[in-house]
Amino acid sequence: MAEMVYAAVGTALADAGMDRDDIDTIVTASIDLFDGKVASSVSITESVGAVMKEEARISDDGAAALFHAATMILSGRKRNVLVVAHCKNSESDADEITKWTFDPNFQQPLGLNDSQAAALQASVWIAAGGSEEEMDRVAAVRGGVAVDHVRKSPWLVEPLRAAHRAPIVDGSCAVVLTSHDSRPPGWGKCRERTGVRSSRATSHVRVAGLGLCVEPHYLGDRDLVGCPAAKKAAERAFRMAGWKPADVERAEISAPFAHQEILWAAAFGLALDPPPPQSSPVKGKDKEAFRSPLEGEGAGGGGRAVVNPTGGWFAGNPYVVSGLERVICAVESVRLGRAKKALAHGCWGPAGQGQCVVLLEASP
Amino acid sequence: MVTRAAIVATGQTDHAKARDDVSQPELIYEAVTRALTDGELRPADIEAVILANMEMFEGRMLPDLWCAEAATAALKPCVKIATGGTSGTSAVIAGFHQVASGLFDTVLVVGWEKHSEGHTQAGMSMTDPLWDRYVAGGALNNFALSISQYMRTRGVTREAAARVAVKARHNAALNPHAHLKMPDLTFEQVMESRVLAEPVRLLDMCPQSDGACAVVFAAEGRAETICPRPAWVHAVATRHDKPYLGDHGDRLSTMRTLRAAAREVYQELDIREPLKEFDVAEIYEPVTYAELAWYEALGFCREGEASRLIEDGVTEMGGELPVNPSGGVLSTNPVGASGVIRAAEAALQIHGKGGKRQVPDVHLALVTGYGVYSWSDVMVLGSDRPH
């Protein structure tokens, strides 16, 4: 794990044109039970350069760690924060470990795990008019496989098949978040802006908005289709940024299960109408050729966002790391000029109980 | 800092070896309700929540999700901090940052642990599988090693440590929330208590407790409307260090993380004589000998003079700098809550709500957190609004 993190941190620092001495403080994200360790971040203190430095550790998704890093910069106490997420899912069995997320009195005795919670969510969604075909297409496109392959893959938990689930892998990623001096309009109460720094002076990317929200715990208490936490997180981020959902040109959404991408894109208010053509071709692994089922003809125009052109979680992000990885993908899309405004999203817990939205835009 | 922040309300459970009468969310609810009552606040007044807990001790996964509602966090921003023993102080520092960032006006920080539902020693042994897991798993064994070294280099005696144990448990008797209240504990009883790991005896060591503690941070402007005498955050500092026990051969005698963090805040606040300038200290002492070592690292005395401080009663109630009027970690230790309790107890002293454990006229209070082998947090709270 320490070696994996070391590689990610080195890459981020090189990209920022910084070394460890430039970093004021470090925020990491990891989850003990996935890694099979107590205080899993202990093993990466040296890898992230936190020896005799300030370090905080969030035990949720990496996007929430970025949120925390932003509060440190906005407080005026810190200028350069290294944000690192890591998870070694291969140390555990996700479907066994996630059983321990559910309250031990009422839900855990049912044997619920993340897959089952997601399947219940998918069932409610389908009953409410969700389309299984659409779910199959998302899984096919993001996973780079044919729709037929999805439909013929074995059941995970009905109505989800194995191919509806993103692969579970090991990994780490890192971001350098820095403060800037000027104060843009629409920043609300914030006195400083934050940005993901790049060594290329022309390609700074600014964090324009942040939103974080958790839902109640009991599945029966939750609106699994309306996704109020995703809505609230996005609303807060849009308010902070002074954007409308239709401003988003690229969205990097964390969806470990295919139907969740559709649910959360809707919760964020990303344009879904008119519905995508049912006969869109799927060209093997050529994701760029068929970027999103949510995308109509004339990609990205007319208030329609391109969603997960990278493949999203299906490209193989570990738990915990996915949210921060989505931020990196969104930053890349802005840097490469594919979008001026991008949305990145992280989630954690059963059926996405925890939600975090980060809005990114090109910095002048 | 952009926005000044203060602790305006505190609440904690009645800590005990096993709180069989409540679940983890109910334990949290007890502390949160008391904090909200203390500040005359409603759940809707809380804008964001930070939780602290070490999930491996209860074997739960993402317990913040199960417990969020009990902490008023449903449909609010909520994250969990988990940095071993410093989880509580790190969460408090995170709560401070959330308010100081200007993003939120009121933030609730809740730490909890329910050791009775898990196996603490097993949890603590889940360290690095290649190296540490086989040598000194758990707090007791690694402290026994470090204490032996500390006694040898600094001449610290078992007698001095025993006096720390007596002070802690006597103070705890003044604290209605404390787990180990032992008003009649004698020096001899500590000296004669059974050896757990040489030289650490039973009464030298902290207990494992079930408990939760909550504090409410508020931004300037809001803070004064909630609390007539807010406990303002004057400075915070954190230091982490290398991950392996073998990296810390001289841990207690140098404690470089605590030294560096304390030096940072002392410089920021121009504190030159901490023993005189602080009115009270709530420090995270998991074992009696650690309290003595922390005296030196925090600059309360010169190196090698920690025994004198305890023997002369300088750190007792009524002394020049009362240390841990609450009874400290030695009397109450729900790990995820212990750091929050330190901040809550220090704030309580500034609020003037300490009851029998109140130190008169507290203006400036020191808070520390300790975790893993040698991670340190330091926070200074004061009655005056910082410049």
Side-chain angles (χ1 to χ4, degrees):
Chain A
M1 187 188 302
E3 292 152 303
M4 200 167 73
V5 170
Y6 184 79
V9 169
T11 310
L13 289 172
D15 184 45
M18 293 176 136
D19 62 32
R20 280 158 208 275
D21 292 340
D22 296 320
I23 299 297
D24 300 322
T25 186
I26 298 111
V27 182
T28 70
S30 53
I31 294 178
D32 284 359
L33 262 67
F34 273 142
D35 294 330
K37 279 185 174 177
V38 62
S40 162
S41 64
V42 170
S43 39
I44 54 127
T45 311
E46 287 163 311
S47 306
V48 301
V51 172
M52 292 305 284
K53 265 196 184 164
E54 182 171 302
E55 183 190 13
R57 186 254 186 149
I58 303 288
S59 182
D60 289 310
D61 181 73
L66 185 95
F67 184 101
H68 183 62
T71 67
M72 298 176 104
I73 289 175
L74 292 168
S75 76
R77 285 192 67 245
K78 300 291 167 187
R79 293 189 66 79
N80 302 326
V81 186
L82 177 67
V83 188
V84 182
H86 60 98
C87 190
K88 213 157 186 319
N89 282 298
S90 62
E91 295 282 344
S92 60
D93 175 338
D95 274 344
E96 285 301 313
I97 289 292
T98 56
K99 286 178 179 171
W100 296 85
T101 317
F102 294 87
D103 94 90
N105 303 317
F106 300 108
Q107 295 189 134
Q108 193 178 9
L110 301 173
L112 284 168
N113 59 26
D114 257 16
S115 300
Q116 292 172 359
L120 287 169
Q121 183 181 38
S123 296
V124 178
W125 172 66
I126 290 165
S131 148
E132 283 182 79
E133 289 71 28
E134 179 75 352
M135 183 168 83
D136 293 343
R137 290 174 57 221
V138 169
V141 174
R142 302 299 173 240
V145 296
V147 173
D148 241 23
H149 171 89
V150 176
R151 290 186 182 143
K152 285 179 183 161
S153 70
W155 289 115
L156 180 65
V157 184
E158 202 175 345
L160 297 177
R161 292 183 178 273
H164 288 124
R165 179 190 213 164
I168 295 171
V169 299
D170 294 348
S172 172
C173 71
V175 158
V176 178
L177 195 69
T178 68
S179 67
H180 291 268
D181 299 314
S182 56
R183 184 179 172 187
W187 194 228
K189 289 156 68 182
C190 308
R191 313 290 167 81
E192 278 193 283
R193 57 180 172 171
T194 57
V196 179
R197 182 170 154 170
S198 155
S199 53
R200 286 160 291 176
T202 52
S203 59
H204 285 204
V205 176
R206 190 174 82 92
V207 176
L210 294 157
L212 186 65
C213 194
V214 301
E215 279 179 32
H217 180 60
Y218 295 91
L219 290 173
D221 291 346
R222 290 174 56 187
D223 178 356
L224 291 171
V225 175
C227 309
K231 269 190 185 135
K232 277 200 167 236
E235 279 166 12
R236 178 175 269 276
F238 284 130
R239 195 163 58 241
M240 186 190 266
W243 297 6
K244 300 183 296 300
D247 293 336
V248 174
E249 293 165 326
R250 286 251 175 169
E252 285 287 343
I253 297 175
S254 285
F257 299 91
H259 67 286
Q260 293 175 337
E261 180 182 305
I262 304 165
L263 281 174
W264 288 326
F268 301 151
L270 302 181
L272 288 172
D273 191 29
Q278 291 299 311
S279 58
S280 293
V282 177
K283 294 176 185 169
K285 295 190 174 182
D286 188 2
K287 290 173 213 152
E288 282 294 320
F290 182 76
R291 284 179 291 197
S292 167
L294 306 177
E295 173 195 347
E297 300 304 320
R304 302 187 61 81
V306 179
V307 177
N308 286 356
T310 54
W313 205 318
F314 281 76
N317 314 134
Y319 275 97
V320 187
V321 175
S322 179
L324 197 60
E325 174 71 18
R326 303 273 64 74
V327 169
I328 292 174
C329 290
V331 165
E332 281 300 309
S333 71
V334 174
R335 278 182 175 180
L336 296 172
R338 292 186 175 151
K340 287 190 184 67
K341 290 180 162 63
L343 177 151
H345 161 251
C347 69
W348 58 99
Q353 195 189 336
Q355 298 278 336
C356 185
V357 171
V358 181
L359 301 179
L360 299 144
E361 66 182 359
S363 183
Chain B
M1 87 196 54
V2 180
T3 305
R4 294 177 188 87
I7 295 176
V8 292
T10 70
Q12 51 188 306
T13 53
D14 298 326
H15 315 301
K17 181 178 182 182
R19 286 290 308 268
D20 291 336
D21 56 323
V22 289
S23 67
Q24 289 184 49
E26 287 166 335
L27 191 71
I28 288 169
Y29 183 79
E30 184 176 308
V32 169
T33 304
R34 286 175 180 177
L36 294 180
T37 305
D38 182 41
E40 296 181 27
L41 295 162
R42 295 164 304 143
D45 292 325
I46 301 298
E47 294 176 6
V49 178
I50 292 179
L51 300 175
N53 169 266
M54 287 306 293
E55 55 199 61
M56 202 60 96
F57 292 156
E58 292 90 0
R60 306 302 313 170
M61 167 92 179
L62 291 168
D64 43 323
L65 295 177
W66 173 33
C67 297
E69 285 160 285
T72 79
L75 295 180
K76 290 179 190 171
C78 175
V79 289
K80 182 168 79 93
I81 303 273
T83 52
T86 57
S87 294
T89 41
S90 293
V92 166
I93 289 172
F96 156 69
H97 277 120
Q98 287 209 340
V99 171
S101 73
L103 291 177
F104 306 106
D105 280 341
T106 49
V107 174
L108 176 71
V109 179
V110 190
W112 85 97
E113 210 72 61
K114 206 156 186 297
H115 287 281
S116 68
E117 290 189 0
H119 195 295
T120 306
Q121 181 60 30
M124 282 204 191
S125 302
M126 298 292 282
T127 52
D128 182 277
L130 297 178
W131 303 102
D132 272 13
R133 201 170 288 180
Y134 300 106
V135 290
L140 178 62
N141 299 331
N142 77 58
F143 269 121
L145 292 171
S146 291
I147 289 166
S148 302
Q149 181 272 340
Y150 180 53
M151 293 174 83
R152 187 180 294 260
T153 55
R154 288 288 156 74
V156 169
T157 59
R158 277 189 54 208
E159 287 75 12
R163 290 188 198 285
V164 173
V166 172
K167 170 178 79 71
R169 277 54 179 260
H170 284 186
N171 286 357
L174 306 173
N175 175 1
H177 303 290
H179 170 186
L180 294 180
K181 303 185 189 78
M182 305 168 92
D184 304 319
L185 181 70
T186 64
F187 173 78
E188 289 72 23
Q189 282 171 320
V190 180
M191 294 293 285
E192 288 161 13
S193 65
R194 70 189 168 91
V195 172
L196 297 177
E198 184 67 33
V200 182
R201 289 175 182 260
L202 179 68
L203 290 170
D204 281 317
M205 202 65 199
C206 61
Q208 297 168 10
S209 316
D210 285 2
C213 182
V215 299
V216 179
F217 279 94
E220 58 180 326
R222 183 88 170 93
E224 301 86 336
T225 66
I226 299 170
C227 178
R229 196 175 150 89
W232 296 99
V233 179
H234 283 224
V236 297
T238 296
R239 290 290 184 283
H240 284 188
D241 208 343
K242 295 179 182 178
Y244 299 107
L245 181 61
D247 293 328
H248 304 284
D250 54 356
R251 174 167 55 147
L252 289 187
S253 47
T254 58
M255 198 56 190
R256 63 179 193 159
T257 52
L258 187 59
R259 243 169 243 267
R263 192 161 55 235
E264 181 184 323
V265 300
Y266 292 174
Q267 274 175 3
E268 189 177 336
L269 302 175
D270 196 25
I271 289 170
R272 290 160 195 209
E273 294 179 278
L275 192 69
K276 286 195 173 65
E277 294 179 57
F278 288 115
D279 302 306
V280 69
E282 278 288 340
I283 65 175
Y284 195 119
E285 31 46 300
V287 59
T288 50
Y289 294 89
E291 176 160 329
L292 298 169
W294 298 179
Y295 288 172
E296 296 176 6
L298 290 165
F300 293 171
C301 61
R302 284 200 293 269
E303 286 176 9
E305 289 185 0
S307 301
R308 182 187 59 76
L309 280 195
I310 190 74
E311 278 157 9
D312 292 353
V314 175
T315 54
E316 284 181 13
M317 294 297 279
E320 187 172 4
L321 175 61
V323 173
N324 293 1
S326 64
V329 177
L330 284 172
S331 305
T332 304
N333 188 30
V335 168
S338 289
V340 184
I341 295 172
R342 304 278 73 68
E345 287 286 335
L348 200 72
Q349 292 287 347
I350 289 170
H351 295 164
K353 294 178 179 173
K356 285 183 184 167
R357 62 193 185 286
Q358 179 70 46
V359 174
D361 209 24
V362 172
H363 289 281
L364 205 62
L366 177 69
V367 174
T368 76
Y370 164 87
V372 189
Y373 288 133
S374 65
W375 291 358
S376 293
D377 285 331
V378 173
M379 180 181 234
V380 176
L381 298 173
S383 60
D384 294 335
R385 211 172 62 153
H387 302 300

